[in-house]
Amino acid sequence: MSFTLSPLPYAHNALEPHIDELTMQIHHGKHHQAYVTNLNNAIAGTVNEGKTIEELVAVAGSISPAVRNNGGGHWNHTFFWESLAPNAGGTPTGDLAAAIDAAFGSFEEFKTKFATAGTTRFGSGWVWLIVKDGKLEISSTPNQDNPLMDVAEVKGTPILGVDVWEHAYYLKYQNKRPDYLAAIWNVINWNKVAERFAAAK
Ligand code: MN3
């Protein structure tokens, strides 16, 4: 059984003006599709055919670079689309808000630290909010790695992930990654993040 690209959970223009329609079309329809296609090609006829994406990601250090990179790309992007929503943003509430305050001092401090982690990730990668030993932490990973991978420097359960590859923002923000990371707060789906937090605790 091979992997398939799920449709975006909203229209390509639904995150305008923060993330533009053309970026979403290319990012989902071309980049994410390519990870799925290349992952399927890389596992075809091997022992990895038939494994779940979670099983593949967990053993990233001992599989081929093609499976690690494209498998990570598939998992990360699926997670990213669900981390965003139209008419979203605002501030987290309840247990999640309390945990953010406890870990980072305040929601504003959290946003600053998360943006710094994303901005200082050299080259391409991801910035994450994870649950580690019951507490929240910010981490970042290179390329298409993620905190579920055995190779991750900081391992944990991701509850929010933001793509900082140039393809995620270049058409609208050009080289200004900090502007993209400032705008992304307008479209974070905190209900989804809270749901993941409750499951991960
Ligand atoms: Mn991407």
Side-chain angles (χ1 to χ4, degrees):
M1 203 183 110
S2 57
F3 295 104
T4 53
L5 179 67
S6 297
L8 269 185
Y10 34 77
H12 291 97
N13 65 358
L15 306 181
E16 290 268 10
H18 313 292
I19 302 182
D20 61 287
E21 180 174 14
L22 183 58
T23 293
M24 291 301 286
Q25 284 170 345
I26 297 171
H27 200 173
H28 178 263
K30 304 293 183 190
H31 289 278
H32 190 173
Q33 178 65 66
Y35 297 125
V36 171
T37 302
N38 293 335
L39 173 62
N40 286 332
N41 290 339
I43 60 174
T46 76
V47 293
N48 288 322
E49 202 169 17
K51 292 196 176 148
T52 66
I53 193 65
E54 288 77 17
E55 286 171 330
L56 292 174
V57 160
V59 296
S62 56
I63 53 182
S64 73
V67 179
R68 171 176 170 175
N69 291 331
N70 292 294
H74 180 39
W75 191 94
N76 292 353
H77 285 83
T78 303
F79 189 81
F80 183 50
W81 310 135
E82 292 173 353
S83 298
L84 308 177
N87 309 120
T91 54
T93 55
D95 285 354
L96 176 59
I100 286 174
D101 288 348
F104 307 108
S106 67
F107 181 57
E108 287 306 312
E109 275 286 302
F110 157 71
K111 287 200 293 183
T112 301
K113 286 172 178 159
F114 191 89
T116 299
T119 304
T120 56
R121 164 51 59 190
F122 184 79
S124 297
W126 291 76
V127 55
W128 307 95
L129 177 62
I130 64 172
V131 177
K132 182 180 166 67
D133 305 324
K135 287 195 286 196
L136 292 177
E137 276 189 36
I138 292 166
S139 74
S140 79
T141 53
N143 304 314
Q144 295 297 354
D145 285 358
N146 69 47
L148 295 172
M149 290 184 172
D150 54 354
V151 292
E153 247 176 78
V154 182
K155 295 177 197 61
T157 305
I159 62 170
L160 171 64
V162 172
D163 191 342
V164 298
W165 283 57
E166 279 190 344
H167 68 224
Y169 60 86
Y170 204 85
L171 293 180
K172 184 177 174 76
Y173 297 99
Q174 294 83 48
N175 59 317
K176 300 182 286 284
R177 190 188 287 180
D179 290 4
Y180 158 71
L181 287 172
I184 199 96
W185 301 117
N186 294 298
V187 291
I188 297 295
N189 184 351
W190 288 113
N191 291 336
K192 187 66 184 179
V193 178
E195 184 188 307
R196 291 167 175 164
F197 177 60
K201 271 192 303 179

